[in-house]
Amino acid sequence: EDALQMLLDQSAQLALMFEREQLDSREQFVELKREALVPVIAQGHALAQFEQISFEQMVQTRQIVVASRNHSIKPELLFSKDYWRTDNHHSACMMIIRNLGWGVLPLEMFNENPELKKKLKVLELYDFTPKFEYYVDLVWSRESELGVAARFLIEHIRQLRQQPRK
């Protein structure tokens, strides 16, 4: 929500955003990639000792949620009644590592930083498979004049998308 607002008030030309349920008529996008989000907890947390946990156990534990700075907007992927908010996945990761709660993080973070596998555990649930897949989009405002670099990047991504997938 914050990134979209920055595009619309022209304080940013481009934004990387997870797919949205509803598109604003003023936005344009090109899809970059699919990203999996998984629930994680610090290895030292009591819930990490279990092979699988129930949904009830998860929702009764504080959740670290990545959400808009605007507190009137309800966060997506919010399960717990007790939760803390932050506006990015990296600070959420640091809060989770410090045993402040569990949270949903991009699986790509584990590939970027293999040390996280030693510090965090992906939660396995009895009740459902807790892997959420979203597309990541490069988004811009239809109402803004894009600079040369922004237009180049958009065109480059479009060309990559036209290449055969392996």
Side-chain angles (χ1 to χ4, degrees):
E1 296 86 5
D2 295 334
L4 181 58
Q5 188 56 50
M6 290 174 71
L7 291 174
L8 298 178
D9 68 20
Q10 299 185 0
S11 59
Q13 282 193 353
L14 299 172
L16 294 174
M17 298 170 55
F18 284 113
E19 65 184 292
R20 283 94 38 233
E21 283 187 26
Q22 289 186 306
L23 295 178
D24 187 294
S25 63
R26 298 168 289 177
E27 71 179 271
Q28 177 73 35
F29 71 95
V30 62
E31 188 179 280
L32 286 174
K33 66 178 213 160
R34 185 172 24 209
E35 180 65 67
L37 301 171
V38 292
V40 298
I41 198 150
Q43 287 285 3
H45 193 281
L47 287 184
Q49 311 318 308
F50 298 100
E51 284 296 315
Q52 288 186 313
I53 62 169
S54 68
F55 184 68
E56 289 83 7
Q57 286 174 295
M58 188 171 83
V59 299
Q60 291 171 5
T61 304
R62 181 187 303 121
Q63 182 179 356
I64 308 302
V65 181
V66 177
S68 170
R69 292 178 190 179
N70 181 343
H71 287 273
S72 67
I73 298 173
K74 185 177 179 193
E76 285 190 43
L77 298 177
L78 175 62
F79 299 99
S80 299
K81 291 180 181 128
D82 177 19
Y83 65 96
W84 289 355
R85 297 168 77 119
T86 183
D87 66 353
N88 68 79
H89 287 104
H90 292 286
S91 62
C93 182
M94 291 302 106
M95 293 167 79
I96 296 165
I97 287 171
R98 288 182 175 82
N99 228 357
L100 299 174
W102 70 274
V104 178
L105 296 178
L107 201 51
E108 185 66 27
M109 288 181 82
F110 287 90
N111 297 332
E112 292 172 359
N113 184 355
E115 285 295 307
L116 289 180
K117 292 177 183 171
K118 297 175 187 172
K119 298 175 182 177
L120 297 174
K121 177 183 179 180
V122 175
L123 290 171
E124 298 292 336
L125 277 79
Y126 294 120
D127 306 319
F128 62 92
T129 303
K131 184 177 178 184
F132 310 99
E133 292 198 344
Y134 286 89
Y135 285 93
V136 178
D137 299 331
L138 180 66
V139 184
W140 63 94
S141 170
R142 293 175 191 227
E143 299 173 347
S144 298
E145 184 67 33
L146 294 176
V148 174
R151 289 193 311 269
F152 173 84
L153 181 60
I154 292 165
E155 207 44 51
H156 178 71
I157 292 167
R158 285 177 169 159
Q159 288 173 8
L160 288 176
R161 289 189 47 75
Q162 291 176 2
Q163 295 176 359
R165 309 248 166 136
K166 295 175 184 174

